[in-house]
């Protein structure tokens, strides 16, 4: 795809030092400048084919900061799927976020699922915030038919297999933050390879 916005800001991270943590917003925005806003504008206004492409493209080689879904909708409700305390004493939660009021007219349904771990009190003494989280999957449904050639263009250069199960076409991707893509006529679900997750320093 031509004319993609600058994407480096999606992968910008900071060393875990007290100074970086205290100055994280200034350091982040000094680095990304207007790239974050340009990305949001692109996702809001690009063609349907470009939207499918960039959704896959930003995850295919390196796990990014979560910015894609908030560029499509800023209104959501969350649903707790499970909560428990693990053997290390961390509180583990998995939450599903269901989005509403989409900025794009071609998106009719979107949800994402996140894994979060709240640190124990002892761990928090050694850290600058109290938890970590990452996306496990992202689902989008559209009022248009998904062009498979765009998916395969976005995966170009990656090793993947393609299998059909009932009405779902499954792309399993090797050596990628994308574990698999589950594609139907009008929807796509991106499943994350949790071994490739990057825990970014929180800016907010």
């Amino acid at each position: 795809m031509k004319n993609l916005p600058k994407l480096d800001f999606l992968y910008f991270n900071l060393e875990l030092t007290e100074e970086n943590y205290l100055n994280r917003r200034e350091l982040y925005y000094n680095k990304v400048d207007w790239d974050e806003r340009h990305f949001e504008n692109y996702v809001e206004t690009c063609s349907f084919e470009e939207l499918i492409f960039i959704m896959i493209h930003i995850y295919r080689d390196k796990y990014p900061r979560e910015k894609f879904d908030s560029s499509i909708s800023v209104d959501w409700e969350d649903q707790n799927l499970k909560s428990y305390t693990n053997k290390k004493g961390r509180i583990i939660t998995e939450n599903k976020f269901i989005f509403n009021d989409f900025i794009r007219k071609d998106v009719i349904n979107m949800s994402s699922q996140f894994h979060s771990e709240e640190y124990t009190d002892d761990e928090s003494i050694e850290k600058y915030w109290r938890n970590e989280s990452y996306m496990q999957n992202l689902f989008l449904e559209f009022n248009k038919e998904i062009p498979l050639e765009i998916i395969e263009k976005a995966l170009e250069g990656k090793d993947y297999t393609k299998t059909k199960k009932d009405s779902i076409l499954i792309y399993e991707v090797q050596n990628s933050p994308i574990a698999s893509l589950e594609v139907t006529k009008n929807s796509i679900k991106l499943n994350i390879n949790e071994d490739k997750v990057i825990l970014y320093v929180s800016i907010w």
Side-chain angles (χ1 to χ4, degrees):
M1 288 286 170
K2 298 179 180 178
N3 302 318
L4 288 176
K6 292 182 179 179
L7 301 174
D8 289 350
F9 82 95
L10 290 170
Y11 313 101
F12 175 74
N13 210 359
L14 290 166
E15 186 180 350
L16 297 178
T17 65
E18 182 177 6
E19 182 180 359
N20 282 349
Y21 181 73
L22 294 173
N23 297 291
R24 63 195 187 281
R25 293 187 188 182
E26 181 181 356
L27 292 168
Y28 175 74
Y29 285 109
N30 282 345
K31 181 71 175 181
V32 308
D33 195 25
W34 285 95
D35 294 348
E36 181 182 290
R37 186 59 197 150
H38 291 159
F39 175 81
E40 291 171 343
N41 286 337
Y42 181 88
V43 172
E44 290 171 12
T45 62
C46 67
S47 71
F48 177 62
E49 290 77 10
E50 289 169 328
L51 181 71
I52 300 298
F53 181 89
I54 200 165
M55 172 189 177
I56 299 167
H57 179 75
I58 61 176
Y59 285 94
R60 53 164 275 160
D61 293 317
K62 188 175 182 181
Y63 182 83
R65 289 183 174 275
E66 296 308 325
K67 202 65 190 169
F68 178 81
D69 49 9
S70 62
S71 301
I72 295 174
S73 172
V74 294
D75 181 25
W76 68 87
E77 56 190 67
D78 65 295
Q79 181 180 91
N80 180 253
L81 301 178
K82 62 180 175 181
S83 298
Y84 62 94
T85 302
N86 70 6
K87 292 179 180 178
K88 295 180 180 179
R90 288 186 176 187
I91 299 173
I92 310 298
T93 59
E94 290 188 6
N95 290 303
K96 183 176 183 179
F97 293 86
I98 302 168
F99 294 84
N100 305 292
D101 298 330
F102 302 112
I103 297 167
R104 292 190 61 101
K105 301 304 182 186
D106 45 17
V107 178
I108 61 173
N109 189 9
M110 181 169 69
S111 63
S112 60
Q113 184 172 319
F114 275 78
H115 174 96
S116 299
E117 301 192 15
E118 184 177 334
Y119 301 143
T120 63
D121 290 341
D122 287 344
E123 286 181 292
S124 296
I125 292 170
E126 302 297 327
K127 299 179 185 291
Y128 304 111
W129 58 93
R130 291 188 57 84
N131 61 67
E132 59 191 46
S133 68
Y134 57 85
M135 191 181 80
Q136 295 172 296
N137 59 64
L138 174 65
F139 172 83
L140 280 93
E141 184 179 4
F142 307 97
N143 58 14
K144 296 181 179 181
E145 188 169 342
I146 295 174
L148 297 182
E149 65 271 16
I150 297 298
I151 291 175
E152 292 173 15
K153 183 174 180 63
L155 291 175
E156 209 167 78
K158 303 298 290 186
D159 292 327
Y160 64 88
T161 58
K162 183 169 60 171
T163 55
K164 189 79 177 285
K165 185 176 181 181
D166 299 324
S167 62
I168 302 175
L169 188 59
I170 302 172
Y171 293 83
E172 294 185 275
V173 189
Q174 304 300 313
N175 193 30
S176 170
I178 302 173
S180 64
L181 299 167
E182 300 175 29
V183 183
T184 69
K185 182 179 179 181
N186 300 101
S187 71
I188 182 168
K189 183 180 182 184
L190 187 155
N191 298 303
I192 291 296
N193 174 359
E194 298 186 22
D195 291 337
K196 296 289 186 179
V197 163
I198 294 172
L199 297 175
Y200 286 95
V201 170
S202 176
I203 301 302
W204 299 276

